[in-house]
Structure formats: C-alpha cells, structure tokens
Coordinates of all heavy atoms in Angstrom, one line a residue:
M1 N 314.0 124.5 30.5 CA 315.0 123.5 30.1 C 315.4 122.6 31.3 O 315.6 123.1 32.4 CB 316.2 124.2 29.6 CG 317.3 123.3 29.0 SD 318.7 124.2 28.4 CE 320.0 123.0 28.6
F2 N 315.5 121.4 31.0 CA 315.8 120.4 32.1 C 317.3 120.6 32.5 O 318.2 120.7 31.6 CB 315.6 119.0 31.6 CG 315.6 118.0 32.7 CD1 314.5 117.8 33.5 CD2 316.8 117.3 33.0 CE1 314.5 116.8 34.5 CE2 316.8 116.3 34.0 CZ 315.6 116.1 34.7
N3 N 317.5 120.6 33.8 CA 318.9 120.9 34.2 C 319.6 119.5 34.5 O 319.4 118.9 35.5 CB 318.9 121.7 35.5 CG 320.3 122.2 35.8 OD1 321.3 121.8 35.2 ND2 320.4 123.1 36.7
L4 N 320.4 119.1 33.6 CA 321.1 117.8 33.7 C 322.1 117.8 34.9 O 322.3 116.8 35.5 CB 322.0 117.6 32.5 CG 321.2 117.0 31.2 CD1 322.2 116.9 30.1 CD2 320.8 115.6 31.6
D5 N 322.6 119.0 35.2 CA 323.6 119.1 36.3 C 323.0 118.5 37.6 O 323.8 118.1 38.5 CB 324.0 120.5 36.5 CG 324.9 121.0 35.4 OD1 325.4 120.1 34.6 OD2 325.1 122.2 35.2
Q6 N 321.7 118.6 37.8 CA 321.2 118.2 39.1 C 320.9 116.7 39.2 O 320.4 116.2 40.2 CB 319.9 119.0 39.3 CG 320.1 120.5 39.3 CD 321.2 121.0 40.3 OE1 321.3 120.5 41.4 NE2 322.1 121.8 39.8
I7 N 321.1 116.0 38.1 CA 320.8 114.6 38.1 C 321.8 113.8 39.0 O 323.0 114.1 38.8 CB 320.8 114.0 36.7 CG1 319.6 114.6 35.9 CG2 320.7 112.4 36.7 CD1 319.5 114.1 34.5
W8 N 321.4 112.9 39.8 CA 322.3 112.1 40.6 C 322.5 110.7 39.8 O 321.6 110.1 39.3 CB 321.7 111.8 41.9 CG 321.7 113.0 42.8 CD1 320.7 113.9 42.9 CD2 322.7 113.4 43.7 NE1 321.0 114.9 43.8 CE2 322.2 114.6 44.3 CE3 323.9 112.8 44.1 CZ2 323.0 115.3 45.3 CZ3 324.6 113.5 45.1 CH2 324.2 114.7 45.6
I9 N 323.8 110.3 39.7 CA 324.1 109.1 39.1 C 324.9 108.2 40.0 O 325.5 108.7 41.0 CB 324.9 109.3 37.8 CG1 326.2 110.0 38.1 CG2 324.0 110.0 36.8 CD1 327.1 110.0 36.9
N10 N 324.9 106.9 39.8 CA 325.7 106.0 40.6 C 327.1 106.0 40.1 O 327.4 105.9 38.9 CB 325.1 104.6 40.5 CG 324.0 104.5 41.5 OD1 324.0 105.0 42.6 ND2 322.9 103.8 41.1
A11 N 328.0 106.0 41.0 CA 329.5 105.8 40.7 C 330.0 104.7 41.7 O 329.5 104.5 42.8 CB 330.2 107.1 40.9
A12 N 331.0 104.0 41.2 CA 331.5 102.9 42.1 C 333.0 103.3 42.4 O 333.7 103.7 41.5 CB 331.5 101.6 41.4
C13 N 333.3 103.2 43.7 CA 334.7 103.5 44.1 C 335.7 102.5 43.4 O 335.4 101.3 43.4 CB 334.8 103.3 45.6 SG 336.5 103.5 46.2
P14 N 336.8 103.0 42.8 CA 337.7 102.2 42.1 C 338.5 101.3 43.1 O 339.1 100.3 42.7 CB 338.6 103.1 41.4 CG 338.5 104.4 42.2 CD 337.1 104.4 42.7
K15 N 338.5 101.6 44.3 CA 339.3 100.9 45.3 C 338.5 99.8 46.0 O 338.9 98.7 46.2 CB 340.0 101.8 46.3 CG 341.1 102.6 45.6 CD 342.0 103.3 46.6 CE 343.1 104.1 45.9 NZ 343.9 105.0 46.7
C16 N 337.4 100.3 46.6 CA 336.6 99.3 47.4 C 335.3 98.9 46.8 O 334.5 98.1 47.3 CB 336.4 99.9 48.8 SG 335.2 101.3 48.7
N17 N 335.0 99.4 45.6 CA 333.8 99.1 44.9 C 332.5 99.6 45.5 O 331.4 99.2 45.1 CB 333.7 97.6 44.6 CG 333.8 97.2 43.2 OD1 333.8 98.1 42.3 ND2 333.9 96.0 42.9
Y18 N 332.6 100.4 46.5 CA 331.5 101.0 47.2 C 330.7 101.8 46.2 O 331.3 102.6 45.5 CB 331.9 101.8 48.4 CG 330.8 102.3 49.2 CD1 330.1 101.5 50.2 CD2 330.3 103.6 49.0 CE1 329.1 102.0 50.9 CE2 329.3 104.1 49.8 CZ 328.7 103.3 50.7 OH 327.6 103.8 51.5
S19 N 329.4 101.6 46.2 CA 328.5 102.4 45.2 C 328.0 103.6 45.9 O 327.4 103.5 47.0 CB 327.4 101.5 44.7 OG 326.6 102.2 43.8
F20 N 328.2 104.8 45.3 CA 327.6 106.0 45.9 C 327.2 106.9 44.8 O 327.4 106.6 43.6 CB 328.6 106.7 46.8 CG 329.9 107.1 46.2 CD1 330.1 108.4 45.8 CD2 330.9 106.2 45.9 CE1 331.3 108.8 45.2 CE2 332.1 106.5 45.2 CZ 332.3 107.9 44.9
E21 N 326.5 108.0 45.2 CA 325.9 108.9 44.1 C 326.7 110.2 44.0 O 327.1 110.8 45.0 CB 324.5 109.2 44.5 CG 323.6 107.9 44.3 CD 322.1 108.3 44.4 OE1 321.8 109.2 45.3 OE2 321.3 107.8 43.7
I22 N 326.8 110.6 42.8 CA 327.4 111.9 42.5 C 326.4 112.7 41.6 O 325.6 112.1 41.0 CB 328.8 111.8 41.8 CG1 328.7 111.1 40.5 CG2 329.8 111.1 42.7 CD1 329.9 111.2 39.6
Q23 N 326.6 114.0 41.6 CA 325.8 114.8 40.6 C 326.5 115.0 39.3 O 327.8 115.0 39.3 CB 325.4 116.1 41.2 CG 324.1 116.0 42.1 CD 323.7 117.4 42.6 OE1 324.5 118.1 43.2 NE2 322.4 117.7 42.4
I24 N 325.8 115.1 38.2 CA 326.4 115.2 36.9 C 327.3 116.5 36.9 O 328.4 116.5 36.3 CB 325.3 115.3 35.8 CG1 324.9 113.8 35.6 CG2 325.9 115.9 34.6 CD1 323.9 113.7 34.4
I25 N 326.9 117.5 37.6 CA 327.7 118.7 37.6 C 329.1 118.4 38.2 O 330.1 119.0 37.8 CB 327.0 119.9 38.4 CG1 327.8 121.2 38.1 CG2 326.9 119.6 39.9 CD1 327.1 122.4 38.6
D26 N 329.2 117.5 39.2 CA 330.4 117.1 39.8 C 331.4 116.5 38.7 O 332.6 116.8 38.7 CB 330.2 116.1 40.9 CG 329.5 116.7 42.0 OD1 329.6 117.9 42.2 OD2 328.8 116.0 42.8
A27 N 330.8 115.7 37.8 CA 331.6 115.1 36.8 C 331.9 116.1 35.7 O 333.0 116.1 35.1 CB 330.8 113.9 36.1
R28 N 331.0 117.0 35.4 CA 331.2 117.9 34.3 C 332.3 118.9 34.7 O 333.1 119.3 33.9 CB 329.9 118.7 34.0 CG 329.9 119.5 32.8 CD 328.5 119.9 32.3 NE 327.8 120.8 33.3 CZ 328.1 122.1 33.3 NH1 329.0 122.6 32.5 NH2 327.4 122.8 34.2
L29 N 332.3 119.3 36.0 CA 333.4 120.2 36.4 C 334.6 119.4 36.9 O 335.6 120.0 37.4 CB 332.8 121.0 37.6 CG 331.6 121.9 37.2 CD1 331.2 122.6 38.5 CD2 332.0 122.8 36.1
E30 N 334.6 118.1 36.7 CA 335.7 117.2 37.0 C 336.2 117.4 38.4 O 337.4 117.7 38.7 CB 336.8 117.4 36.0 CG 336.3 117.1 34.6 CD 337.5 116.9 33.6 OE1 338.5 117.5 33.8 OE2 337.2 116.2 32.6
K31 N 335.3 117.4 39.3 CA 335.6 117.6 40.7 C 336.3 116.4 41.4 O 336.2 115.3 40.9 CB 334.3 117.8 41.5 CG 333.7 119.2 41.5 CD 332.6 119.3 42.5 CE 332.0 120.7 42.4 NZ 330.8 120.8 43.3
L32 N 337.0 116.7 42.4 CA 337.6 115.6 43.3 C 336.6 115.2 44.3 O 336.1 116.1 45.1 CB 338.9 116.2 43.9 CG 339.7 115.1 44.6 CD1 340.4 114.2 43.6 CD2 340.9 115.9 45.4
V33 N 336.2 114.0 44.3 CA 335.2 113.5 45.3 C 335.9 112.5 46.2 O 336.9 111.9 45.9 CB 333.9 112.9 44.7 CG1 333.2 114.0 43.9 CG2 334.3 111.7 43.8
Y34 N 335.2 112.2 47.3 CA 335.8 111.2 48.3 C 334.8 110.1 48.5 O 333.6 110.3 48.7 CB 336.1 111.9 49.6 CG 337.2 112.9 49.5 CD1 336.9 114.2 49.2 CD2 338.5 112.5 49.6 CE1 337.9 115.2 49.1 CE2 339.5 113.4 49.5 CZ 339.2 114.8 49.2 OH 340.2 115.7 49.1
C35 N 335.4 108.9 48.4 CA 334.5 107.7 48.7 C 334.0 107.7 50.1 O 334.8 107.9 51.1 CB 335.4 106.4 48.4 SG 334.5 104.9 48.9
P36 N 332.7 107.6 50.3 CA 332.2 107.6 51.7 C 332.5 106.4 52.5 O 332.4 106.4 53.7 CB 330.7 107.7 51.5 CG 330.4 107.2 50.1 CD 331.7 107.5 49.3
N37 N 333.0 105.4 51.8 CA 333.4 104.1 52.5 C 334.8 104.1 53.0 O 335.2 104.0 54.1 CB 333.0 102.9 51.7 CG 333.2 101.6 52.4 OD1 332.8 101.5 53.5 ND2 333.8 100.7 51.8
C38 N 335.8 104.1 52.0 CA 337.2 104.0 52.3 C 337.9 105.3 52.3 O 339.1 105.4 52.6 CB 337.9 103.0 51.3 SG 338.0 103.7 49.6
K39 N 337.2 106.4 52.0 CA 337.7 107.8 52.1 C 338.8 108.1 51.1 O 339.5 109.1 51.3 CB 338.3 108.1 53.5 CG 337.4 107.6 54.7 CD 336.1 108.4 54.7 CE 335.2 108.0 55.9 NZ 333.8 108.4 55.8
C40 N 339.0 107.3 50.1 CA 340.0 107.6 49.1 C 339.5 108.7 48.2 O 338.2 108.9 48.0 CB 340.4 106.4 48.2 SG 339.1 105.9 47.1
S41 N 340.3 109.5 47.6 CA 339.9 110.6 46.7 C 339.8 110.0 45.3 O 340.6 109.2 44.8 CB 340.9 111.7 46.7 OG 342.2 111.3 46.3
I42 N 338.8 110.5 44.6 CA 338.5 110.1 43.2 C 338.4 111.3 42.3 O 337.6 112.2 42.5 CB 337.2 109.3 43.1 CG1 337.2 108.1 44.1 CG2 336.9 108.8 41.7 CD1 335.9 107.5 44.3
Q43 N 339.3 111.4 41.3 CA 339.2 112.5 40.4 C 338.3 112.2 39.3 O 338.5 111.3 38.5 CB 340.6 112.7 39.8 CG 340.6 113.8 38.7 CD 340.3 115.2 39.3 OE1 341.0 115.7 40.2 NE2 339.3 115.8 38.8
L44 N 337.1 112.9 39.2 CA 336.2 112.7 38.2 C 336.6 113.2 36.8 O 337.3 114.3 36.8 CB 334.8 113.3 38.6 CG 334.2 112.8 39.8 CD1 332.9 113.6 40.1 CD2 333.9 111.3 39.7
K45 N 336.3 112.5 35.8 CA 336.7 112.9 34.4 C 335.6 112.7 33.5 O 335.0 111.7 33.4 CB 337.9 112.1 34.0 CG 339.2 112.5 34.6 CD 339.8 113.7 33.9 CE 341.2 114.0 34.5 NZ 341.7 115.3 34.0
D46 N 335.3 113.8 32.7 CA 334.4 113.7 31.7 C 335.2 113.5 30.4 O 335.2 114.4 29.5 CB 333.4 114.9 31.6 CG 332.4 114.8 30.5 OD1 332.1 113.7 30.1 OD2 331.9 115.8 30.1
E47 N 335.8 112.4 30.2 CA 336.8 112.2 29.2 C 336.3 112.3 27.8 O 336.9 112.7 26.9 CB 337.5 110.8 29.4 CG 338.4 110.8 30.6 CD 339.2 109.5 30.7 OE1 338.9 108.6 30.0 OE2 340.0 109.4 31.7
S48 N 335.0 111.8 27.6 CA 334.4 111.9 26.3 C 333.6 113.1 26.1 O 332.9 113.2 25.1 CB 333.6 110.6 26.0 OG 332.6 110.5 26.9
A49 N 333.6 114.0 27.0 CA 332.8 115.2 27.0 C 331.3 114.9 26.8 O 330.6 115.6 26.2 CB 333.3 116.2 25.9
S50 N 331.0 113.7 27.4 CA 329.6 113.2 27.1 C 328.6 114.1 27.7 O 327.5 114.2 27.2 CB 329.5 111.8 27.8 OG 329.9 111.9 29.1
V51 N 328.9 114.8 28.8 CA 327.9 115.7 29.4 C 327.5 116.8 28.4 O 326.4 117.2 28.3 CB 328.3 116.2 30.7 CG1 327.3 117.1 31.3 CG2 328.6 115.0 31.7
H52 N 328.5 117.3 27.7 CA 328.3 118.4 26.9 C 327.6 118.0 25.6 O 326.8 118.8 25.0 CB 329.7 119.1 26.5 CG 330.3 119.7 27.7 ND1 329.9 120.8 28.3 CD2 331.4 119.3 28.4 CE1 330.7 121.1 29.3 NE2 331.6 120.2 29.4
T53 N 327.9 116.8 25.1 CA 327.4 116.5 23.7 C 326.1 115.7 23.7 O 325.5 115.6 22.7 CB 328.5 115.6 23.0 OG1 328.8 114.5 23.8 CG2 329.8 116.4 22.8
S54 N 325.7 115.2 24.9 CA 324.5 114.4 24.9 C 323.3 115.0 25.5 O 322.4 114.3 25.8 CB 324.8 113.1 25.7 OG 325.9 112.4 25.1
T55 N 323.3 116.3 25.5 CA 322.1 117.0 26.2 C 320.8 116.8 25.4 O 319.8 117.0 26.0 CB 322.4 118.5 26.3 OG1 322.8 119.0 25.1 CG2 323.5 118.7 27.4
K56 N 320.9 116.4 24.2 CA 319.7 116.1 23.4 C 318.9 114.9 24.0 O 317.7 114.8 23.8 CB 320.0 115.9 22.0 CG 320.4 117.2 21.2 CD 320.9 116.8 19.8 CE 321.6 118.0 19.2 NZ 322.3 117.7 18.0
N57 N 319.6 114.0 24.5 CA 319.0 112.8 25.0 C 319.5 112.5 26.4 O 320.6 112.1 26.6 CB 319.4 111.6 24.1 CG 318.6 110.4 24.5 OD1 318.5 110.0 25.6 ND2 318.1 109.7 23.5
I58 N 318.7 112.7 27.4 CA 319.1 112.6 28.8 C 319.6 111.2 29.1 O 320.6 111.0 29.8 CB 317.9 113.0 29.7 CG1 317.6 114.5 29.5 CG2 318.2 112.7 31.2 CD1 316.4 115.0 30.2
N59 N 318.9 110.2 28.6 CA 319.3 108.8 28.9 C 320.7 108.6 28.3 O 321.5 108.0 29.0 CB 318.3 107.9 28.3 CG 317.0 107.8 29.1 OD1 317.0 108.0 30.3 ND2 315.9 107.6 28.5
N60 N 320.9 109.0 27.1 CA 322.2 108.9 26.5 C 323.3 109.6 27.3 O 324.4 109.0 27.6 CB 322.3 109.5 25.1 CG 321.9 108.4 24.0 OD1 321.7 107.3 24.4 ND2 321.8 108.9 22.8
A61 N 323.0 110.7 27.8 CA 323.9 111.5 28.6 C 324.3 110.7 29.9 O 325.5 110.6 30.2 CB 323.3 112.8 29.0
I62 N 323.3 110.1 30.5 CA 323.6 109.4 31.7 C 324.4 108.1 31.4 O 325.4 107.8 32.1 CB 322.3 109.0 32.4 CG1 321.6 110.3 32.9 CG2 322.5 108.1 33.6 CD1 320.2 110.1 33.4
N63 N 324.0 107.4 30.3 CA 324.8 106.2 30.0 C 326.2 106.6 29.6 O 327.2 105.9 30.0 CB 324.1 105.5 28.8 CG 322.8 104.8 29.3 OD1 322.6 104.5 30.4 ND2 321.9 104.6 28.3
E64 N 326.4 107.6 28.8 CA 327.7 108.0 28.4 C 328.6 108.5 29.5 O 329.7 108.2 29.6 CB 327.6 109.1 27.3 CG 327.1 108.6 26.0 CD 327.9 107.4 25.4 OE1 329.1 107.6 25.3 OE2 327.3 106.4 25.0
L65 N 327.9 109.2 30.4 CA 328.6 109.6 31.6 C 329.1 108.5 32.4 O 330.2 108.5 32.9 CB 327.8 110.6 32.4 CG 328.5 111.2 33.6 CD1 329.6 112.1 33.2 CD2 327.5 112.1 34.4
N66 N 328.3 107.5 32.6 CA 328.6 106.3 33.4 C 329.8 105.6 32.7 O 330.8 105.2 33.4 CB 327.5 105.4 33.5 CG 326.7 105.6 34.7 OD1 327.2 105.9 35.8 ND2 325.4 105.5 34.6
K67 N 329.8 105.5 31.4 CA 331.0 104.9 30.7 C 332.2 105.7 30.9 O 333.3 105.2 31.2 CB 330.7 104.8 29.2 CG 329.7 103.8 28.8 CD 329.5 103.8 27.3 CE 328.2 103.1 26.9 NZ 327.9 103.4 25.5
A68 N 332.1 107.1 30.8 CA 333.2 107.9 31.0 C 333.8 107.8 32.4 O 335.0 107.7 32.6 CB 332.8 109.4 30.8
L69 N 332.9 107.7 33.4 CA 333.3 107.6 34.7 C 334.0 106.2 35.0 O 335.0 106.1 35.6 CB 332.2 107.7 35.7 CG 331.6 109.1 35.8 CD1 330.3 109.1 36.6 CD2 332.6 110.1 36.3
N70 N 333.5 105.2 34.4 CA 334.1 103.8 34.5 C 335.5 103.8 33.9 O 336.4 103.2 34.5 CB 333.2 102.8 33.8 CG 332.0 102.5 34.7 OD1 332.0 102.6 35.9 ND2 330.9 102.0 34.0
I71 N 335.6 104.5 32.8 CA 337.0 104.6 32.1 C 337.9 105.3 33.0 O 339.1 104.9 33.1 CB 336.8 105.3 30.8 CG1 336.1 104.4 29.8 CG2 338.2 105.6 30.2 CD1 335.7 105.1 28.5
S72 N 337.4 106.3 33.8 CA 338.3 107.1 34.6 C 338.7 106.4 35.9 O 339.7 106.7 36.5 CB 337.6 108.4 35.0 OG 337.3 109.1 33.8
F73 N 337.9 105.4 36.2 CA 338.2 104.7 37.5 C 339.2 103.6 37.3 O 338.9 102.4 37.2 CB 336.9 104.1 38.1 CG 336.0 105.1 38.6 CD1 334.7 104.8 39.0 CD2 336.4 106.4 38.8 CE1 333.9 105.7 39.6 CE2 335.5 107.4 39.4 CZ 334.3 107.0 39.7
K74 N 340.5 104.0 37.3 CA 341.6 103.0 37.1 C 342.3 102.7 38.4 O 342.4 103.6 39.2 CB 342.6 103.5 36.1 CG 342.0 103.6 34.7 CD 342.9 104.4 33.7 CE 342.2 104.5 32.4 NZ 342.9 105.5 31.6
Ligands
ZN101 ZN1 336.1 103.3 48.4

C-alpha cells in the first residue's frame, strides 16, 4: 500500500508567502510547523479531513489537502 503520509506537498507561508514543503503526515496530525523564511509558526489543519477520505485517489488527496491548507492559512 502506498504511504500517503510520506508525500511532500507545497505550502505557502500565510505571512510572507514563502513556499516550502511539508509532509502529508504533518497536516494529518495537524502539526505546528515553522516558516523557514520568517520563522512564524503555522498551525496545520486538515479541516475537511481530506487526507482521511481521499486515499482512493492520491491526486485528489493532494489537491484536497492543498485546499484545506489554503483555507487554514488565514
Ligand atoms: Zn513566512
């Protein structure tokens, strides 16, 4: 079985817009991460539970996760 948790996805810092990579497991576990550029803390949220519900389609999972992350970046 393919391990989605190990996939790296792009995230953008809500403050400085710096683009960096996180692993899906970080979002699934709603970890607190730090922007490598401005050092602000970012609380990851899997608000739509997309990681859990989209495992049938890896591409969907990544797209949905990106949407979830964007929604969380306020
Ligand atoms: Zn930043």
Side-chain angles (χ1 to χ4, degrees):
M1 185 178 153
F2 194 83
N3 191 351
L4 279 172
D5 286 344
Q6 302 307 314
I7 294 176
W8 290 87
I9 60 168
N10 277 320
C13 174
K15 291 194 176 168
C16 70
N17 246 353
Y18 184 83
S19 181
F20 60 102
E21 290 190 321
I22 62 169
Q23 276 186 305
I24 282 186
I25 193 170
D26 293 333
R28 195 162 64 78
L29 298 179
E30 303 195 333
K31 278 191 181 174
L32 190 67
V33 299
Y34 294 90
C35 172
N37 187 46
C38 71
K39 315 295 187 198
C40 71
S41 60
I42 303 164
Q43 177 66 60
L44 299 177
K45 284 278 184 189
D46 183 21
E47 288 182 355
S48 61
S50 55
V51 179
H52 294 289
T53 57
S54 300
T55 50
K56 290 172 191 166
N57 186 316
I58 293 171
N59 286 328
N60 269 355
I62 294 171
N63 288 335
E64 290 301 312
L65 182 62
N66 268 321
K67 284 181 202 165
L69 291 172
N70 284 336
I71 289 168
S72 298
F73 286 172
K74 290 168 185 166

